[in-house]
Amino acid sequence: MATRKNGTGDTTTGGAQPRRLVIVESPTKAKKIAPYLGSNYVVEASVGHIRDLPRGAADVPAKYKGEPWARLGVDVDHDFEALYVVSPEKKGKVAELKSLLKDADELFLATDPDREGEAIAWHLLETLNPKIPVRRMVFHEITKPAILAAAADTRELDQDLVDAQETRRILDRLYGYEVSPVLWKKVMPKLSAGRVQSVATRIIVQRERDRMAFRSAEYWDISATLDAGAEASPRSFGARLVNVDGSRVAAGRDFGADGKLKSDGVTVLDEPRARRLAEALQGVDLTVASAEDKPYTRKPYPPFMTSTLQQEAGRKLRFSSERTMRVAQRLYENGYITYMRTDSTTLSESAISAARSQATELYGAEYVHPSPRQYTRKVKNAQEAHEAIRPAGDVFQTPGQLHSALQTDEFRLYELIWQRTVASQMADVRGTTLTLRITGTAGTGEQCTFSSSGRTITFAGFLKAYVESVDDEAGGQSDDAESRLPALKEGAAVTATQLDPDGHTTNPPARYTEASLIKTLEELGIGRPSTYASIIKTILDRGYVYKRGSALVPSWVAFSVVALLEAHFGRLVDFDFTAGMEDDLDAIAGGRERRGDWLTSFYFGGDTGAEGSVARSGGLKKMVGTNLEDIDARVINSIRLFDDDQGREIHVRVGRYGPYLERMVKNDDDPDGDPISQRANLPDDLPPDELTIDFAEKLFATPQEGRKLGADPLTGHEIVAKEGRFGPYVTEILPEPEPEPTPPEPDIVPIPQDSDGGGGTKTAVKKAAAKKAPAKKAAKKATGPKPRTGSLLKSMDLATITLEDALKLLSLPRVVGVDPESKEEITAQNGRYGPYLKKGTDSRSLTDEEQLFTVTLDEALKIYSEPKRRGRQGEAKPPLRELGTDPVSEKPMVIKDGRFGPYVTDGETNASLRKDDDVATITDDRASELLADRRARGPVKKKATKKAATKKATTKATATKTAANKTPAKKAAANKTPAKKAAAKKTAAKKTPAKKTPAKKAAAKKAPPADS
């Protein structure tokens, strides 16, 4: 429904005001901006795109179905003209917009200010075909001043931006529709290739390859605890051995990925030598050889742009990139932040003023930088160089002011954006760094040097408002971390109170997280920040990548897909080529390149682009056609891992039903013959770099048909232990059911041919009946008994599980007894989330797996007599630490371990401990302060949509019920059909009418929509 404003905010004065229809993308945005405009404005939402390329053959209009390019939806022979169709679900919206357009004097297209928004505006213009003046209305925040300014200062549609976006859309269609079928034929069905998604997958696969090829190196040093004397502060500090007899002690950076030393002139300590040195240094006089202190300065970070917001929200809030953009979209549409898709870090003068005044008010003038800070960076496309993501308006609302208005995710993200924006105008962090070099001569005569570095922050500056997080996988030191050292001078004496030989191993490169992948894509110039969230979602949804914690782990299918693309379509997944393509698209956006010419060269070949580019290689179409026959599917789907101790190659094979291990072994039945294949199942959740030679041998030890454990003494069925896709399990082998005797075929008595061919018809009927027999047999086989199965408990191992253990697992669920009150049976079962009791629909968790076989009826009844605890309450844990009484609630405070880390509670209010709070040292005053701060922010706002959802559900249920009441009449009619079929079978002459019955059925199914 259109939103019309009856009030103030008119942009024209005097005379009859023109009636203006304003079209935006979302209903939320329409509802928000309508009150800012005058009564002569009607604001309506298109609800995203109204048309797109055909999704399938059904979407292609009838007049184009015979065209050779209809499958693509792009006429490649006529300047790559795209076939856009209005999707069925948007036809009603288009009709509504056309109706509103009849009453309008002007059309304002107020879609988002980026390339995609420009394209949506163009599609609206092409579809609605207005006969009135059209204006492009652009704004970057939804505040009254911004909306009124945008309405007063409109522009024409930017055709270059439209061309750039449409080129991307067509390019992605050509890439996907030409390359994806290659994956279906050579790897497995339902896979997809994409211009950016395939490169992103390659980046993740390459990191996993690096981890698999990595060889760890071991090195040792000595960790020392030193005493600087009673007058020093701090008295005790740590140091590490860095030099022996003038030779630097090797650290992790001195080793390569192959585990070998790559640096010259370093000493690698092993464990025996490190221990000897530690003993020889006991009681030795140590002296400060040098003390070097330097001033330390740290400038604030720029305000957020799209990519940095996604990265920091991932690190600090644990948001996925998709979740971050979804929440940011809501904040923007409701007028809380500026537009969230931007490559820019610049702030407007009013935003700088707002940030500086707020920082002054909250933290004091000394914490604000003397002059306004402006952050600039090289932006690929100047037309998209909007403002940074910041709080909306000329005066920022603090997170505290919005706490009751925002949902939890919205509040957390807004707080992050507000902190970063305000901090960007604050003063530098100042401090000092101190490096001490301490020397001494060991009892063995070796000259040893220890080093210790510290950092002290003397002025917090912007850290008062904001501290950037450190990536969990990569590690590092946060900006606010301090490590104080005593102010020692050269020649000062220190003593070693503790000397510990310390062993280390080098680590493989960290897996990508969403945050680090986005950073890498941005550094390589691949894709655009506004697309990163959808790219990551796609590779996760397609099964190319899965998450292990926050790390992105590639599947074996991804290995095969990347191997195929690298070997046969290398240019398409080349980092430089993909980044260069972005520059070409930006050239189209800037009007420096013509869309049709660029697409022609890319698809059919041409002289444009760098040497070896897709165009100079003959174009995408030729590349796919030429390479398809050269692709050996078995080679592509074989990932060689390593050789076993007998020199036999071990491969992962990607099959149609999933990956498995394979090697060729000697055939025991024919030792002189060709080797045969030995295979083993691979667990779905096993990361590729954890598939070691030892683990592979363990999997081979359990063949695909299972490890035989023995026979069940009760049934005689063989019991086997297997490794399945979802983990190890035991099962029983059921004997093959005896085939039912097939009734003898009745003799066919020749019947004299009548003039109407009746005899021939009877014979045909008998043959048709004979053909149907196997289908009945198959159906009967499917309903036979299923073998019992049971997943191994956590305490069990596939290689050592016994027949007795297996029979215990197969006995589950175990009947514990019957509840004397309800008369319901209680069973003990092993589920996905652990062992539990079940009584009807009531389930209760058991504390350990052993209880599955030992819990008694009395113990079960006692568990059921206690109040049911939901979620994490089922595993009540003792507090980490007990504190004093909170002065406000006058209740005892305790520290507990929660889902998101330790928190303090007084039984009424919970407050998470901050980064600098330590469970062991937190004081009662600090705990009370955290609780007071949490109370001040008020309760977490609950979603207001629940009631509405319930109401909708009730309405839906009523509608369903009404429909259900009408169904029997239709069913009754449907039930008559078999009778007709039976008649058809009896009378051979009626075979032709019987064939028409399905057509009638199909027509009956289509009838209801036609009536509606």
Side-chain angles (χ1 to χ4, degrees):
M1 183 181 288
T3 307
R4 186 187 293 276
K5 170 61 183 170
N6 295 315
T8 60
D10 301 337
T11 58
T12 60
T13 56
Q17 295 179 334
R19 294 165 298 177
R20 289 166 174 161
L21 173 62
V22 181
I23 302 179
V24 296
E25 292 101 329
S26 81
T28 303
K29 193 194 288 189
K31 186 178 178 182
K32 186 70 180 178
I33 72 172
Y36 300 146
L37 297 169
S39 57
N40 59 315
Y41 287 84
V42 173
V43 186
E44 181 57 42
S46 67
V47 196
H49 288 270
I50 59 167
R51 66 177 192 169
D52 197 1
L53 297 172
R55 291 172 294 190
D59 286 349
V60 177
K63 65 177 181 178
Y64 297 114
K65 284 187 182 293
E67 299 290 343
W69 50 266
R71 177 182 67 91
L72 280 173
V74 179
D75 189 351
V76 296
D77 296 320
H78 294 87
D79 207 28
F80 289 82
E81 184 177 344
L83 172 64
Y84 289 109
V85 294
V86 176
S87 56
E89 63 270 17
K90 287 297 178 73
K91 287 183 178 177
K93 174 56 68 177
V94 170
E96 182 185 350
L97 292 174
K98 284 184 175 180
S99 176
L100 291 170
L101 199 58
K102 292 176 183 177
D103 299 326
D105 299 315
E106 289 182 332
L107 173 62
F108 279 28
L109 299 173
T111 49
D112 286 342
D114 56 6
R115 281 194 288 223
E116 187 174 6
E118 205 76 15
I120 292 175
W122 176 74
H123 282 293
L124 285 165
L125 188 63
E126 292 286 304
T127 306
L128 300 178
N129 194 22
K131 307 301 181 186
I132 56 176
V134 179
R135 302 280 182 264
R136 179 75 169 100
M137 178 177 166
V138 179
F139 46 86
H140 300 93
E141 64 179 12
I142 302 178
T143 58
K144 186 172 182 178
I147 297 303
L148 293 178
D153 185 21
T154 57
R155 63 168 172 80
E156 297 296 317
L157 199 69
D158 190 328
Q159 194 59 46
D160 288 336
L161 276 183
V162 173
D163 281 348
Q165 181 61 25
E166 294 311 294
T167 304
R168 286 172 183 272
R169 185 70 189 93
I170 294 169
L171 174 62
D172 290 340
R173 172 58 67 99
L174 296 175
Y175 192 122
Y177 271 48
E178 292 291 354
V179 182
S180 295
V182 178
L183 303 182
W184 305 343
K185 294 173 184 175
K186 301 299 182 179
V187 183
M188 65 171 58
K190 298 182 180 179
L191 297 178
S192 73
R195 178 173 55 90
V196 181
Q197 78 173 52
S198 296
V199 178
T201 304
R202 184 190 175 202
I203 290 171
I204 296 170
V205 167
Q206 187 56 54
R207 177 57 56 89
E208 197 70 14
R209 287 171 176 165
D210 293 341
R211 290 175 63 88
M212 293 167 71
F214 181 82
R215 295 296 174 263
S216 183
E218 185 182 79
Y219 61 96
W220 285 71
D221 58 18
I222 297 174
S223 173
T225 303
L226 305 178
D227 186 352
E231 295 181 0
S233 177
R235 177 172 179 170
S236 180
F237 64 99
R240 195 166 288 279
L241 180 69
V242 295
N243 198 290
V244 176
D245 281 341
S247 176
R248 185 167 60 82
V249 174
R253 65 180 180 274
D254 296 309
F255 296 91
D258 57 0
K260 296 177 180 177
L261 196 66
K262 64 179 183 181
S263 303
D264 297 327
V266 296
T267 297
V268 180
L269 296 183
D270 56 15
E271 183 177 3
R273 187 176 178 189
R275 294 195 180 281
R276 284 198 306 271
L277 262 181
E279 291 174 8
L281 284 166
Q282 295 289 348
V284 168
D285 293 331
L286 300 175
T287 306
V288 177
S290 67
E292 184 181 8
D293 63 331
K294 293 180 181 178
Y296 166 77
T297 303
R298 182 73 175 89
K299 295 185 185 306
Y301 295 90
F304 283 128
M305 55 182 179
T306 305
S307 59
T308 52
L309 177 64
Q310 291 173 350
Q311 291 171 51
E312 185 67 348
R315 291 188 295 253
K316 195 180 285 285
L317 307 181
R318 305 294 185 216
F319 283 6
S320 67
S321 53
E322 181 195 17
R323 183 178 174 187
T324 299
M325 296 308 291
R326 188 170 60 245
V327 175
Q329 180 90 30
R330 293 203 301 266
L331 288 172
Y332 165 68
E333 290 180 347
N334 284 288
Y336 295 116
I337 64 170
T338 53
Y339 191 57
M340 66 287 164
R341 293 187 182 92
T342 175
D343 291 337
S344 175
T345 54
T346 59
L347 291 175
S348 65
E349 289 184 11
S350 62
I352 290 174
S353 176
R356 291 175 65 81
S357 62
Q358 205 152 68
T360 303
E361 179 185 343
L362 293 173
Y363 306 110
E366 68 274 19
Y367 283 95
V368 182
H369 195 260
S371 60
R373 291 183 185 269
Q374 189 61 275
Y375 299 86
T376 56
R377 62 186 294 270
K378 185 180 178 182
V379 181
K380 290 269 186 181
N381 189 333
Q383 296 185 73
E384 289 193 52
H386 311 312
E387 216 182 334
I389 304 170
R390 61 165 178 86
D394 295 336
V395 177
F396 298 163
Q397 298 182 81
T398 65
Q401 290 172 319
L402 293 178
H403 189 271
S404 59
L406 300 177
Q407 296 178 6
T408 303
D409 279 3
E410 294 169 347
F411 174 81
R412 296 175 71 197
L413 193 64
Y414 180 84
E415 183 179 45
L416 192 64
I417 294 167
W418 178 88
Q419 288 173 340
R420 179 99 163 203
T421 307
V422 171
S424 73
Q425 296 303 313
M426 293 176 68
D428 297 347
V429 176
R430 296 193 298 272
T432 58
T433 59
L434 176 61
T435 302
L436 299 176
R437 305 279 282 191
I438 298 128
T439 61
T441 304
T444 55
E446 294 162 296
Q447 184 73 18
C448 297
T449 303
F450 291 83
S451 179
S452 183
S453 297
R455 181 172 71 185
T456 303
I457 294 173
T458 56
F459 178 71
F462 73 87
L463 293 178
K464 280 279 188 180
Y466 173 79
V467 180
E468 183 163 275
S469 298
V470 176
D471 192 282
D472 288 343
E473 295 290 320
Q477 188 180 40
S478 65
D479 293 328
D480 61 343
E482 289 187 276
S483 51
R484 293 184 63 228
L485 293 178
L488 299 175
K489 301 296 182 183
E490 188 176 332
V494 296
T495 57
T497 58
Q498 192 170 344
L499 292 162
D500 296 317
D502 202 356
H504 311 273
T505 54
T506 54
N507 296 315
R511 285 195 181 97
Y512 285 103
T513 61
E514 287 199 21
S516 59
L517 177 62
I518 288 169
K519 185 178 181 181
T520 300
L521 288 171
E522 187 180 27
E523 288 172 348
L524 292 171
I526 294 169
R528 281 290 176 265
S530 59
T531 63
Y532 291 155
S534 61
I535 291 164
I536 292 172
K537 183 178 185 300
T538 298
I539 62 177
L540 285 166
D541 291 347
R542 295 287 182 185
Y544 292 145
V545 174
Y546 63 93
K547 281 191 172 183
R548 195 182 199 194
S550 61
L552 298 172
V553 184
S555 65
W556 291 112
V557 172
F559 275 75
S560 287
V561 168
V562 169
L564 185 151
L565 294 174
E566 287 175 335
H568 300 279
F569 304 96
R571 203 64 183 154
L572 295 180
V573 288
D574 179 77
F575 300 151
D576 293 335
F577 164 72
T578 309
M581 196 183 297
E582 293 292 344
D583 294 335
D584 292 342
L585 293 169
D586 287 340
I588 295 171
R592 300 182 300 277
E593 179 78 55
R594 185 177 170 276
R595 182 181 85 177
D597 294 342
W598 191 90
L599 286 170
T600 299
S601 294
F602 174 79
Y603 193 66
F604 291 115
D607 297 330
T608 60
E611 191 64 36
S613 66
V614 173
R616 290 183 181 274
S617 301
L620 179 67
K621 187 174 180 64
K622 179 182 177 183
M623 184 183 288
V624 172
T626 303
N627 289 335
L628 184 59
E629 297 305 320
D630 297 335
I631 300 173
D632 186 331
R634 181 169 176 81
V635 172
I636 288 298
N637 292 300
S638 299
I639 301 109
R640 182 177 176 180
L641 298 178
F642 31 65
D643 294 351
D644 62 15
D645 56 3
Q646 297 182 39
R648 298 173 298 194
E649 294 180 2
I650 296 178
H651 293 259
V652 169
R653 306 282 190 196
V654 177
R656 188 165 289 268
Y657 304 106
Y660 59 91
L661 272 183
E662 184 182 55
R663 68 179 168 190
M664 303 306 290
V665 297
K666 184 172 68 174
N667 186 353
D668 292 334
D669 296 331
D670 184 12
D672 298 326
D674 293 333
I676 59 173
S677 168
Q678 182 186 20
R679 297 180 177 184
N681 292 322
L682 274 175
D684 271 7
D685 59 351
L686 178 69
D689 77 322
E690 293 182 15
L691 182 51
T692 62
I693 182 64
D694 292 337
F695 196 89
E697 291 293 355
K698 181 180 176 183
L699 294 175
F700 279 126
T702 307
Q704 286 188 309
E705 61 272 15
R707 185 170 72 88
K708 297 177 181 179
L709 303 179
D712 184 340
L714 295 178
T715 64
H717 297 160
E718 189 174 53
I719 308 299
V720 296
K722 290 187 172 185
E723 182 69 61
R725 289 182 62 192
F726 306 106
Y729 67 100
V730 293
T731 187
E732 61 181 340
I733 306 298
L734 299 181
E736 286 290 330
E738 293 183 10
E740 293 184 7
T742 307
E745 186 73 28
D747 293 334
I748 299 176
V749 181
I751 299 174
Q753 290 277 343
D754 294 330
S755 59
D756 60 356
T761 306
K762 284 185 182 179
T763 306
V765 170
K766 286 185 181 181
K767 283 182 180 177
K771 283 181 182 176
K772 288 184 179 178
K776 289 182 181 178
K777 187 177 179 183
K780 190 173 274 188
K781 186 177 181 182
T783 58
K786 293 183 178 179
R788 295 172 294 161
T789 61
S791 296
L792 267 62
L793 304 182
K794 293 177 183 177
S795 58
M796 296 177 175
D797 185 82
L798 195 64
T800 59
I801 187 172
T802 64
L803 176 62
E804 183 183 0
D805 294 330
L807 293 175
K808 285 171 68 176
L809 292 174
L810 295 177
S811 70
L812 297 175
R814 180 176 72 90
V815 177
V816 178
V818 176
D819 187 332
E821 292 185 6
S822 66
K823 307 301 180 187
E824 289 181 299
E825 190 176 72
I826 300 175
T827 57
Q829 304 189 28
N830 190 27
R832 181 180 178 186
Y833 301 106
Y836 66 99
L837 292 173
K838 187 173 180 66
K839 181 178 70 170
T841 57
D842 192 357
S843 301
R844 304 294 175 96
S845 295
L846 293 171
T847 55
D848 60 69
E849 294 173 330
E850 191 58 33
Q851 282 189 292
L852 285 167
F853 311 105
T854 61
V855 66
T856 64
L857 178 60
D858 289 340
E859 290 170 339
L861 293 173
K862 184 179 179 182
I863 292 171
Y864 274 104
S865 68
E866 297 171 356
K868 186 167 185 176
R869 294 183 174 131
R870 298 192 178 275
R872 296 178 64 84
Q873 295 177 355
E875 299 176 11
K877 297 177 181 177
L880 299 176
R881 187 174 162 218
E882 295 181 358
L883 302 172
T885 302
D886 179 56
V888 177
S889 65
E890 298 184 348
K891 292 187 175 180
M893 299 180 294
V894 294
I895 306 290
K896 290 189 172 183
D897 189 16
R899 182 180 178 189
F900 302 106
Y903 66 96
V904 60
T905 179
D906 62 351
E908 295 179 350
T909 305
N910 300 338
S912 297
L913 268 60
R914 305 289 167 80
K915 191 172 183 180
D916 295 331
D917 296 323
D918 184 69
V919 174
T921 59
I922 190 170
T923 63
D924 291 357
D925 290 341
R926 175 59 178 159
S928 299
E929 181 187 340
L930 290 172
L931 290 173
D933 179 62
R934 186 65 190 84
R935 292 189 194 100
R937 286 190 279 139
V940 177
K941 185 182 178 186
K942 294 183 179 178
K943 290 185 180 179
T945 55
K946 193 173 181 182
K947 192 173 182 181
T950 309
K951 192 174 181 182
K952 280 183 183 177
T954 309
T955 309
K956 195 173 181 182
T958 308
T960 307
K961 194 172 182 181
T962 309
N965 290 338
K966 293 179 182 179
T967 307
K970 292 182 181 179
K971 277 188 176 179
N975 289 340
K976 292 179 182 178
T977 309
K980 290 181 181 178
K981 280 187 175 179
K985 284 181 180 178
K986 285 181 181 178
T987 312
K990 290 184 180 179
K991 186 177 178 186
T992 306
K995 279 187 177 178
K996 289 182 181 177
T997 307
K1000 289 181 181 177
K1001 273 189 176 180
K1005 284 183 181 177
K1006 290 180 182 176
D1011 295 336
S1012 57

